[in-house]
Amino acid sequence: MKKVMQKLDVYQRYVVNPAYKFKEDYNNVIITNNNSARYNANLYRKDITHSFAWRIHPDLAVLFGFFDGSKTLDEVATRFFLVEKMDKEVFMNSVSPCINNSEEVMIPTYDGCWASIPKNFLISNTMSIVRDSLLEKIDIPFVRKFFNLSEVRLRVPNSMTFMLNTSCVTDCVYCYADKPQIKHPLPFARVKALIKEAFDLEMPYLEVDGGDFFLYPHWRELLVEMLKYEYMPHISTKCPLTEKMVNDLKTLGIRYIQLSIDSVNSKEMQQMLKVGEHYTGQVLHGLRLLDEAGFEITVKPVITRFNDSETSLNDTIDVLTSFPNVRRVNFTPADFSQFKPTTYYSTCSQLTRLKTIVDQRNREYDAELSFLGYAEFQTEEERRAHFSYRPQCTGNVHGFFVLPDGKVTICEQMYWHPFFILGDLNKQSIMEMWESEQARSKWNFSQKEVRDESPCKTCEEFQACRRGLGNCWRLAISAYGPENYDFPAPNCPKAPPVSEGFYIP
């Protein structure tokens, strides 16, 4: 993150990007995304690609609260001086890095600390937007008195993901999902009530997962309910779409969709997905219908040893990029699976060759081509160099994952592992679950509870690690087995060796 100074037009009106909002989290203010269906135009969401919840000093929240879009920069500086007695030049230097910023930036606070500010935070108000309620629901005097920027776990969760079902139209050789038969699924009436609860709690992220979205019997009604509360779901599917399904999606107001098309070669698809010979043609027909209907489409092919030839990769790129509305093609190596024999891996050398081709061909198209990375067999020194820059684990910190029967777990791929169950939304409200002893005990997991077999048992950095960026539970159980949930993730410098071929995406 960089601090960028720029020459400012003091007569220009700037506004806090409508893709963002301020939210009170008991004794703190956080910056987070706005609900996804409220402001999802590319104008506002350009380069905003991830979910987040960042604490901000209340004085900075007050400063940014003046950028409601109704006043010029000079007028904002004048009013801020009258209210907060901040010199205009100091004010300009403070806000400059946050105006039309193409990267996340760090800016100093008044108490010598630093605050993270997301991309494109203050934007030129070319559309005459007025956001006169930016801090309306925040008790600034209370927060100023009691704020604690060192807190990590949110007092109110910021995201909820529904795993709708365990049903699929394919039987992928690389499937990582636990797919038991769900005898008592969470009633749809309760799903609707939880969506409203999330909205009332001002949770900006509500996502759906599976199984396959289109095998959920209430998918149309679910979309109606989500959009009613300003949630735009991220739909990903392997289901061959029909004209009626595409028309229903468009009528309901869905604009974006992700398809999982691993190859355009029918034999490869039959090997990888255990599907019939007509499946590939049906999936590509659905892609054509979506393209003609004007959807913004992302395709995510998974790479295994069955489709890792350069010919297959190039053919897939050629076909997918022939559709004008395919905006992104994100190739990714198959992940580790607890439930399938890991005989489907490609090799590191071949993945490297494929990544080089994707990077080269990315220059040829309007669509964005990418090859998601992986790491394998890092030395302890390499792991130590990268470990401090790992992504923060947000499970049971910012959000949670709802299983098809209503049980709540920390994140995807924990499934029904008893250690990770936080509650049951058949019986609890969102906040009853979030504040329960069961959920809090997982956050407060202590070194005393770690088994002797785990390297974490004697690690002097345990507290700073687990209460900071955290340990990736998913990677830990993937690498060492569900019984070793208290092990460090394999990207930790103190982690034991893992089996050959284990990828860390």
Side-chain angles (χ1 to χ4, degrees):
M1 296 188 228
K2 302 189 284 191
K3 184 175 179 179
V4 180
M5 299 301 293
Q6 59 179 306
K7 185 177 175 77
L8 300 175
D9 180 356
V10 296
Y11 302 109
Q12 174 69 268
R13 286 180 169 82
Y14 297 100
V15 64
V16 174
N17 190 327
Y20 300 121
K21 68 179 179 182
F22 298 100
K23 180 182 172 186
E24 186 172 335
D25 189 57
Y26 180 62
N27 61 337
N28 280 299
V29 181
I30 62 173
I31 304 173
T32 185
N33 281 41
N34 224 325
N35 284 32
S36 51
R38 185 179 298 178
Y39 290 108
N40 56 11
N42 287 335
L43 171 67
Y44 303 129
R45 302 193 69 84
K46 184 179 181 182
D47 294 331
I48 300 166
T49 57
H50 63 284
S51 59
F52 69 97
W54 294 341
R55 285 179 176 81
I56 185 173
H57 195 290
D59 290 346
L60 282 177
V62 171
L63 183 154
F64 291 127
F66 281 81
F67 286 91
D68 62 3
S70 67
K71 297 174 280 293
T72 67
L73 182 59
D74 185 67
E75 289 170 336
V76 172
T78 299
R79 293 199 184 190
F80 198 74
F81 172 76
L82 294 173
V83 174
E84 298 291 333
K85 307 304 180 189
M86 180 185 277
D87 179 80
K88 274 191 175 185
E89 185 177 350
V90 174
F91 175 87
M92 295 294 184
N93 289 336
S94 297
V95 301
S96 173
C98 310
I99 293 178
N100 296 323
N101 52 309
S102 60
E103 300 179 29
E104 297 166 8
V105 295
M106 299 287 286
I107 62 173
T109 60
Y110 310 127
D111 55 0
C113 297
W114 292 82
S116 297
I117 303 299
K119 298 176 181 180
N120 301 315
F121 187 63
L122 299 176
I123 60 174
S124 303
N125 193 11
T126 57
M127 299 188 68
S128 302
I129 301 161
V130 176
R131 302 190 67 188
D132 53 8
S133 57
L134 278 167
L135 303 178
E136 183 179 59
K137 298 181 180 179
I138 299 174
D139 186 345
I140 290 294
F142 174 81
V143 175
R144 272 180 160 157
K145 188 174 181 180
F146 296 108
F147 74 93
N148 179 4
L149 299 179
S150 66
E151 286 191 354
V152 177
R153 188 176 191 261
L154 296 180
R155 301 291 187 96
V156 178
N158 212 43
S159 67
M160 172 169 64
T161 301
F162 284 108
M163 183 181 180
L164 299 172
N165 56 38
T166 57
S167 304
C168 293
V169 295
T170 62
D171 182 19
C172 304
V173 296
Y174 54 80
C175 181
Y176 58 75
D178 188 4
K179 299 194 287 189
Q181 183 179 359
I182 306 300
K183 296 180 180 178
H184 303 289
L186 186 66
F188 185 60
R190 183 66 184 130
V191 172
K192 291 197 294 184
L194 289 168
I195 293 171
K196 184 180 184 305
E197 272 189 63
F199 179 78
D200 290 343
L201 291 169
E202 296 187 68
M203 292 169 58
Y205 307 115
L206 198 159
E207 291 294 349
V208 293
D209 204 344
D212 198 285
F213 179 82
F214 294 105
L215 296 184
Y216 183 60
H218 307 289
W219 69 263
R220 291 174 177 85
E221 299 95 322
L222 176 63
L223 291 179
V224 170
E225 203 68 17
M226 290 183 71
L227 291 165
K228 173 181 171 183
Y229 290 103
E230 303 180 318
Y231 294 113
M232 180 67 72
H234 176 80
I235 300 173
S236 181
T237 183
K238 275 185 158 68
C239 190
L241 299 181
T242 65
E243 187 171 358
K244 182 181 186 319
M245 294 165 76
V246 171
N247 288 338
D248 286 350
L249 289 171
K250 190 170 184 178
T251 300
L252 289 168
I254 302 301
R255 301 178 181 89
Y256 316 104
I257 193 165
Q258 177 175 290
L259 301 182
S260 298
I261 303 175
D262 297 333
S263 172
V264 295
N265 182 300
S266 179
K267 288 184 179 179
E268 291 175 356
M269 293 282 267
Q270 290 174 60
Q271 288 178 301
M272 291 176 64
L273 310 185
K274 307 302 180 187
V275 291
E277 60 180 320
H278 300 299
Y279 172 83
T280 304
Q282 292 168 342
V283 167
L284 291 175
H285 175 67
L287 171 57
R288 185 172 295 106
L289 293 172
L290 289 165
D291 185 69
E292 291 171 352
F295 282 77
E296 183 175 319
I297 305 163
T298 297
V299 184
K300 186 179 180 183
V302 175
I303 301 297
T304 68
R305 67 181 179 86
F306 299 105
N307 66 335
D308 67 354
S309 72
E310 295 179 20
T311 299
S312 178
L313 179 82
N314 282 311
D315 288 347
T316 299
I317 291 173
D318 289 341
V319 171
L320 295 179
T321 54
S322 70
F323 295 94
N325 287 308
V326 171
R327 306 292 177 81
R328 286 164 294 277
V329 183
N330 300 327
F331 293 93
T332 180
D335 203 352
F336 180 83
S337 172
Q338 297 179 58
F339 306 102
K340 299 275 187 172
T342 52
T343 55
Y344 50 79
Y345 280 147
S346 179
T347 64
C348 288
S349 58
Q350 185 62 11
L351 291 174
T352 299
R353 280 193 287 273
L354 298 185
K355 184 178 187 307
T356 300
I357 293 171
V358 170
D359 290 343
Q360 290 172 343
R361 296 202 63 184
N362 184 42
R363 307 180 192 125
E364 302 173 20
Y365 303 103
D366 292 332
E368 175 190 331
L369 307 182
S370 67
F371 197 98
L372 302 184
Y374 63 94
E376 186 188 43
F377 303 125
Q378 288 183 320
T379 66
E380 180 178 337
E381 187 175 306
E382 289 171 330
R383 283 180 282 158
R384 185 169 295 281
H386 293 104
F387 193 60
S388 297
Y389 302 99
R390 68 195 184 278
Q392 183 181 35
C393 175
T394 59
N396 196 31
V397 177
H398 290 177
F400 56 91
F401 195 84
V402 186
L403 295 162
D405 60 358
K407 295 284 197 310
V408 178
T409 186
I410 285 180
C411 74
E412 187 188 15
Q413 297 187 41
M414 302 296 102
Y415 299 112
W416 287 268
H417 191 302
F419 176 80
F420 298 105
I421 296 298
L422 306 180
D424 187 344
L425 292 181
N426 282 293
K427 305 170 184 177
Q428 298 168 294
S429 69
I430 290 173
M431 287 308 299
E432 285 172 342
M433 176 279 300
W434 190 252
E435 294 178 333
S436 69
E437 178 57 33
Q438 206 169 356
R440 287 178 178 275
S441 67
K442 300 300 180 287
W443 166 245
N444 292 317
F445 182 61
S446 71
Q447 200 163 16
K448 291 188 301 183
E449 299 173 81
V450 178
R451 297 170 308 128
D452 291 341
E453 297 89 334
S454 171
C456 295
K457 183 68 174 180
T458 56
C459 178
E460 64 279 5
E461 299 172 60
F462 181 89
Q463 189 70 15
C465 172
R466 299 279 178 153
R467 298 293 173 272
L469 293 175
N471 181 63
C472 181
W473 302 98
R474 177 184 68 82
L475 281 176
I477 66 171
S478 294
Y480 307 111
E483 70 281 5
N484 291 318
Y485 59 87
D486 56 357
F487 270 45
N491 59 336
C492 171
K494 299 182 180 180
V498 294
S499 61
E500 185 175 350
F502 183 87
Y503 299 148
I504 305 173

